[in-house]
Structure formats: structure tokens, C-alpha cells
């Protein structure tokens, strides 16, 4: 079955960097667009970044110029490189794929930006 497993979250100071990874299994990774979402406390889940099978990318305005999404089809893994992190980036980050008319989410990884 489809599985998405995120890793790489943690505590980082403002201005710091983190790279999140999402390892996928159970489907042909190379043909699906992949997404990163996040959910902060008391807020709705929001789309952060997306990457298509042809590696076209799109970003939320709040992270443009700071975050980079990429994928390694040989490893069935999608990454989110986050630079110049801000307090407002604190959230649980989720990997997502829409595959054959079903939605799949990872378990999430916590990113906390704090002194």
C-alpha cells in the first residue's frame, strides 16, 4: 500500500536551515506530483510547495525564495530544503500525494523555529 514517511524535522533558531525528506513506497513515484503541506497550531493545513513529475515547482508566497522542493525518483523521495527559517514556519509538515483518486498523507514531522 501507499506509504509516506517524513523525517528531518527538529528545533532550529530563526535564520537557520532544515531539510525535510519524504520517503514514498507502494506506488510508481515518478509519475505523481508530490506536495508538502504544513499545519501550525490553531490554523488550517496549508500547501507549502509542490513538484510535478516533470519537476515543475510551485510555492506558497510565504516561502518563496526561502524553500526549495526537489525529488529523487531513483530513491522515491521528495525533499524540502528550508532556509532562513522564521518563527511563523513553526508547524507540523506533511508529505502528500493524490494517487488513483485517493489522498495519502504521511504522519508529519514537527518543525519548531525558536531561540
Amino acid at each position: 500500500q501507499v506509504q509516506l514517511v517524513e523525517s528531518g524535522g527538529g528545533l532550529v533558531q530563526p535564520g537557520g536551515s532544515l531539510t525535510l525528506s519524504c520517503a514514498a513506497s507502494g506506488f510508481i513515484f515518478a509519475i505523481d506530483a508530490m506536495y508538502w503541506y504544513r499545519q501550525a497550531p490553531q490554523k488550517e493545513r496549508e500547501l507549502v510547495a509542490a513538484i510535478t513529475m516533470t519537476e515543475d515547482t510551485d510555492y506558497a508566497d510565504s516561502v518563496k525564495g526561502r524553500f526549495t522542493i526537489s525529488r529523487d525518483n531513483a530513491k522515491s523521495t521528495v525533499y524540502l530544503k528550508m532556509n532562513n527559517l522564521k518563527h511563523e514556519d513553526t508547524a507540523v509538515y506533511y508529505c502528500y500525494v493524490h494517487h488513483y483518486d485517493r489522498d495519502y498523507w504521511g504522519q508529519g514531522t514537527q518543525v519548531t523555529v525558536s531561540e
Side-chain angles (χ1 to χ4, degrees):
Q1 70 274 24
V2 174
Q3 286 192 316
L4 302 171
V5 180
E6 302 98 333
S7 61
L11 173 65
V12 63
Q13 292 187 341
S17 298
L18 280 177
T19 298
L20 307 183
S21 300
C22 171
S25 61
F27 65 103
I28 303 172
F29 178 82
I31 66 172
D32 280 313
M34 298 296 299
Y35 304 83
W36 284 99
Y37 280 76
R38 68 185 180 187
Q39 188 166 19
Q42 314 302 323
K43 292 190 176 181
E44 293 188 354
R45 195 170 294 191
E46 64 173 352
L47 178 63
V48 176
I51 186 166
T52 69
M53 60 178 290
T54 54
E55 302 195 23
D56 293 320
T57 59
D58 196 18
Y59 299 92
D61 287 342
S62 59
V63 307
K64 280 181 181 176
R66 300 188 298 120
F67 290 12
T68 303
I69 189 171
S70 62
R71 64 191 298 161
D72 185 337
N73 290 338
K75 296 182 178 180
S76 296
T77 300
V78 60
Y79 303 96
L80 187 67
K81 172 69 171 174
M82 306 183 293
N83 294 325
N84 190 21
L85 283 159
K86 305 177 180 181
H87 290 107
E88 52 264 42
D89 295 318
T90 295
V92 178
Y93 284 72
Y94 298 92
C95 184
Y96 164 82
V97 65
H98 182 76
H99 180 70
Y100 284 127
D101 293 328
R102 293 189 63 181
D103 297 326
Y104 297 91
W105 296 89
Q107 83 286 353
T109 186
Q110 175 71 48
V111 172
T112 302
V113 184
S114 175
E115 292 83 352

